[in-house]
């Protein structure tokens, strides 16, 4: 799996509940359309952190880079009116806080010789 992670804060004009609700609408639609396998939307608990990170973390799981590329193309082409949900979310993100990361599952292969 490829995991696209976003850290972000919401703008002062919107509350955390509305931010999460709008993001969920967009992500649910992406899963429904088959452009994404799953997602997880989390919020910093009690501000507990060891470094200065935004309050929300969104992890989106894709089978591979092709599925991720297809998801981005779907948004650009506005398939199933997905762009409305995406633009709505983009207006709620404090752009100075957004951070993007792309991870992949790492499978360690250990031969029987290495285990001895």
């Amino acid at each position: 799996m490829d995991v696209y992670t976003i850290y972000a804060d919401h703008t002062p004009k919107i509350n955390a509940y509305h931010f999460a609700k709008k993001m969920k609408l967009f992500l649910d639609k992406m899963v429904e359309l088959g452009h994404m396998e799953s997602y997880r939307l989390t919020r910093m608990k009690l501000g507990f952190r060891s470094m200065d990170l935004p309050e929300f973390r969104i992890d989106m799981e894709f089978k591979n880079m092709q599925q991720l590329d297809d998801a981005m193309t779907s948004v650009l082409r506005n398939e199933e009116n997905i762009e409305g949900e995406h633009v709505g979310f983009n207006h709620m993100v404090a752009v100075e806080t957004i951070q993007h990361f792309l991870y992949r599952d790492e499978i360690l292969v250990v031969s029987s010789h290495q285990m001895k």
Side-chain angles (χ1 to χ4, degrees), residues 1-7 58-69 72 99-106:
M1 288 284 188
D2 289 315
V3 181
Y4 182 52
T5 298
I6 297 173
Y7 285 93
I58 304 123
D59 292 314
M60 297 169 275
E61 291 191 329
F62 300 90
K63 284 186 271 191
N64 50 42
M65 290 299 292
Q66 185 61 57
Q67 188 182 31
L68 174 58
D69 186 56
M72 291 182 179
Q99 298 179 40
H100 305 265
F101 304 88
L102 184 59
Y103 297 95
R104 66 175 178 203
D105 285 335
E106 194 63 37

Side-chain angles (χ1 to χ4, degrees), residues 49-105:
R49 56 185 164 226
S50 61
M51 60 178 28
D52 190 21
L53 290 172
E55 183 176 8
F56 283 90
R57 175 179 163 174
I58 304 123
D59 292 314
M60 297 169 275
E61 291 191 329
F62 300 90
K63 284 186 271 191
N64 50 42
M65 290 299 292
Q66 185 61 57
Q67 188 182 31
L68 174 58
D69 186 56
D70 292 345
M72 291 182 179
T73 300
S74 174
V75 171
L76 291 172
R77 290 183 180 162
N78 197 22
E79 293 175 7
E80 302 285 329
N81 198 31
I82 195 73
E83 180 64 11
E85 301 299 340
H86 186 255
V87 168
F89 169 71
N90 281 342
H91 289 293
M92 294 187 296
V93 172
V95 294
E96 65 278 356
T97 68
I98 197 162
Q99 298 179 40
H100 305 265
F101 304 88
L102 184 59
Y103 297 95
R104 66 175 178 203
D105 285 335

